[in-house]
Amino acid sequence: MVKKMDIPFDKVSNIGFISTRLAGTDGVSLETIKWADVFEKKGFSCFYFAGELDRPEDRSYLLKEAHFKHPDIRKIYRNCFGVSTRRRSLTKKIHEMKEHIKDHLYKFIKKFNINLLIPQNALTIPLNLPLGLAITEVISEMGIPTIAHHHDFFWERQQFKTNAAWEYLNMAFPPHIPTIRHVVINSSASNQLSLRTGVSSTIIPNVMDFENPPQKPDGYASDVRKDLGIEDGELFILQPTRVVKRKGIEHAIELVRRLKMKAKLVISHASGDEGHDYEMRVRQYSKLMNVDTILSQTSLMIAEDALKTEKKSIP
């Protein structure tokens, strides 16, 4: 068992958050805001490194290659997952991209005098293999204290199980390095991480700040019920997640069914990078349970395009 190093918070002043994307309303971005708020209230300064950012410019380091949607990164992903072998030229490309990202990570750390790194799901989901490898090597080379915040692991997603990158997954998703303290969001993830890798972790659930009331509806939100076709007196039940299997949307559908009240269930986010089979299942199950379910418009458009493409491919 590798002995873990305690985080020397008395020597930390500047914290660097790293992810593929820190922008918008995805779970990782929102949780990063909450963590940063806590740290800043304790007197720390927070800085951000990602391929997409909506954080203050004077605290941000934008590197397009860190994003999982960058063309080179997408090409690496497509040729490493869903296959069992990879070309030698692809291996070379992975290492070239890794070194490029690594150079910028060093610049980020130097520019903002970072004392503590917090990778947000970047050492968990291998949508950007070079980024995970680069972060791992920087931590190993510098010995910099790190809190790796893991939201969901690659073994939880079917799309990653067939791959030609096992050595990279074992090395960096997540890495087993003494200067890293691992944080997961539930006990199941903690148990699986320990069972599969021998890595111990701390559980910090994703939470809502109930002590502070939400902001009053602005012009955009004031007519949301009308736009969604929710009538006066009708319950507006929101599940603010993507349409993916592990979110257990069936439970929300069953809950609305058991309420036996007039209600609409709204799923806020699209299915994203995990395919659309589950979305079709949610639609069918909603009809079966007679629950009025509204999926995000983005999700609906993606699903419809996917169906059109599938029909065209049928001879």
Side-chain angles (χ1 to χ4, degrees):
M1 180 68 70
V2 176
K3 184 178 179 181
K4 295 293 181 181
M5 183 190 77
D6 290 330
I7 302 296
F9 282 106
D10 58 325
K11 298 180 181 178
V12 172
S13 56
N14 296 336
I15 296 172
F17 288 93
I18 303 172
S19 192
T20 58
R21 173 183 61 195
L22 291 171
T25 58
D26 64 279
V28 172
S29 297
L30 293 177
E31 287 303 309
T32 299
I33 292 173
K34 297 174 189 177
W35 276 46
D37 183 55
V38 171
F39 279 119
E40 288 176 351
K41 286 178 178 177
K42 294 292 184 180
F44 300 99
S45 297
C46 297
F47 302 88
Y48 308 91
F49 179 103
E52 181 182 354
L53 288 161
D54 60 7
R55 304 305 191 257
E57 189 173 345
D58 61 342
R59 290 175 175 245
S60 298
Y61 193 110
L62 179 66
L63 180 67
K64 293 181 179 180
E65 290 83 354
H67 204 300
F68 59 86
K69 289 186 177 180
H70 187 276
D72 290 339
I73 299 302
R74 290 179 67 123
K75 184 176 180 181
I76 289 171
Y77 171 79
R78 287 195 303 267
N79 287 281
C80 279
F81 294 95
V83 297
S84 57
T85 61
R86 67 175 187 268
R87 299 185 304 276
R88 183 179 180 182
S89 59
L90 183 62
T91 301
K92 182 180 179 181
K93 182 65 175 179
I94 291 170
H95 286 281
E96 288 175 349
M97 293 295 295
K98 179 256 296 180
E99 288 298 321
H100 173 70
I101 295 172
K102 201 164 128 181
D103 288 342
H104 284 276
L105 283 171
Y106 270 104
K107 291 177 181 178
F108 168 66
I109 292 169
K110 182 178 180 180
K111 178 178 180 179
F112 296 117
N113 191 27
I114 302 298
N115 317 114
L116 171 69
L117 292 179
I118 304 183
Q120 287 282 0
N121 233 35
L123 298 176
T124 315
I125 294 298
L127 289 174
N128 190 328
L129 282 171
L131 175 63
L133 296 173
I135 296 170
T136 298
E137 290 189 0
V138 167
I139 295 169
S140 186
E141 291 166 2
M142 295 188 67
I144 187 169
T146 301
I147 300 174
H149 192 187
H150 309 307
H151 296 254
D152 47 1
F153 292 100
F154 75 85
W155 53 76
E156 297 175 10
R157 300 193 187 185
Q158 187 66 35
Q159 73 208 71
F160 297 124
K161 291 184 178 179
T162 300
N163 67 77
W166 279 113
E167 75 273 37
Y168 299 144
L169 299 181
N170 290 331
M171 171 188 170
F173 295 92
H176 198 171
I177 300 174
T179 55
I180 299 179
R181 298 300 298 268
H182 298 267
V183 171
V184 296
I185 63 175
N186 55 53
S187 59
S188 176
S190 178
N191 292 337
Q192 284 297 312
L193 177 62
S194 178
L195 178 67
R196 292 170 181 268
T197 69
V199 171
S200 60
S201 59
T202 300
I203 300 173
I204 302 179
N206 293 346
V207 297
M208 301 295 291
D209 184 5
F210 292 107
E211 293 185 0
N212 295 303
Q215 297 178 356
K216 293 181 179 180
D218 56 17
Y220 176 79
S222 61
D223 58 354
V224 66
R225 291 178 65 95
K226 179 181 178 182
D227 289 345
L228 292 174
I230 301 173
E231 300 175 6
D232 293 338
E234 186 175 21
L235 289 177
F236 176 3
I237 300 176
L238 174 68
Q239 177 159 341
T241 68
R242 290 183 296 137
V243 186
V244 292
K245 186 176 181 180
R246 65 181 179 280
K247 303 299 181 182
I249 296 172
E250 296 92 340
H251 298 298
I253 295 171
E254 291 166 7
L255 171 64
V256 176
R257 169 74 173 181
R258 293 184 181 187
L259 287 174
K260 296 180 180 180
M261 299 173 68
K262 190 172 183 180
K264 277 189 172 65
L265 172 63
V266 178
I267 314 300
S268 62
H269 287 59
S271 50
D273 63 333
E274 298 184 46
H276 308 288
D277 291 343
Y278 181 68
E279 181 172 338
M280 298 300 112
R281 176 180 168 185
V282 167
R283 290 164 128 188
Q284 293 169 358
Y285 194 56
S286 295
K287 290 180 180 179
L288 178 66
M289 300 295 285
N290 196 28
V291 171
D292 194 350
T293 302
I294 300 175
L295 303 178
S296 80
Q297 192 61 37
T298 303
S299 188
L300 288 170
M301 289 189 294
I302 292 173
E304 288 169 0
D305 288 343
L307 286 173
K308 289 177 182 177
T309 301
E310 183 178 347
K311 288 178 181 179
K312 288 180 180 179
S313 65
I314 298 175

